[in-house]
């Protein structure tokens, strides 16, 4: 249940003002068919919302509180794929904590249902503890607002199920990554951690990561950095790969934070 109707109205009014001022559509504007016209875009500020969770009421902006944060959604409690995913995230909690990432899940049922489901999740993945909050979104208000619906998977009433969205927000509360999987495909949380490593390297060290990069592999100097700036920034040095064009744009450097 989303609470604080007055606060929500104020925020909505501010978002409308912002939308008309900047010429951008409001994220999550409903198209009337129950699916959102507008998904969050990279660089968008996280929507501000207050929601009931398995760990009490959470104000999302306060929850982020200068940290990295991941919000990921699920179609429904007591469904098989979701059960495996929430267990995997429970197991990976030390990895998220190591990276300073706050974790928040969402599923379209009430808190009582979530709490009963957690027992199944922890029984299915005994090494996991669901120590992170799960948002209750039984009316799919947030799912619609975020544009995380899967029109191909519908409930008995023909309403689209919530897709498997992954949003990573930076400490500035801006969207750094979004991935949207259909309800029927379970996510790979190794990949989610890999992407968070890449995002944090870019944010802190001005490097990009090449195809199939994994932690410890060489990184790439971002194109915006001159050779002089790169030499000053990367004490371990960098190598420039020769290519037929003669352009010096492929520059490799050891991962800077190890
Ligand atoms: C699942 O979590 O198993 C699931 C949910 C919705 C559609 C298909 C699968």
């Amino acid at each position: 249940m989303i609470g604080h109707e007055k606060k929500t109205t104020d925020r909505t009014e501010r978002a409308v003002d912002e939308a008309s001022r900047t010429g951008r559509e409001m994220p999550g504007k409903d198209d009337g068919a129950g699916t959102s016209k507008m998904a969050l875009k990279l660089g968008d500020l996280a929507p501000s919302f207050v929601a009931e969770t398995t760990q009490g009421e959470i104000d999302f902006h306060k929850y982020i509180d200068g940290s990295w944060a991941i919000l990921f959604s699920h179609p429904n409690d007591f469904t098989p794929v979701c059960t495996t995913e929430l267990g995997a995230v429970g197991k990976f909690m030390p990895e998220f904590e190591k990276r300073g990432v706050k974790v928040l899940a969402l599923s379209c049922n009430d808190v009582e249902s979530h709490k009963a489901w957690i027992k199944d999740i922890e029984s299915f993945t005994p090494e996991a503890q669901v120590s992170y909050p799960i948002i209750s979104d039984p009316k799919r208000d947030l799912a619609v607002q975020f544009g995380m619906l899967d029109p191909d998977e519908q409930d008995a009433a023909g309403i689209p199920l919530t897709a498997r969205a992954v949003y990573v927000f930076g400490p500035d509360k801006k969207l750094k990554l979004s991935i949207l999987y259909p309800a029927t495909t379970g996510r790979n949380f190794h990949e989610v951690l890999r992407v968070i490593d890449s995002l944090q390297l870019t944010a802190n060290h001005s490097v990009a990561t090449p195809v199939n990069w994994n932690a410890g592999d060489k990184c790439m100097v971002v194109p915006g950095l001159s050779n002089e700036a790169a030499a000053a920034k990367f004490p371990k040095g960098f190598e420039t790969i020769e290519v037929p064009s003669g352009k010096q744009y492929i520059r490799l450097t050891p991962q800077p934070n190890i």
Side-chain angles (χ1 to χ4, degrees), residues 74-76 78-83 85 153 161-162 164 183-185:
H74 293 272
N76 230 333
F78 302 104
T79 48
V81 176
C82 299
T83 302
E85 288 190 319
E153 293 296 320
L161 293 181
T162 303
R164 297 180 197 282
T184 41
T185 302

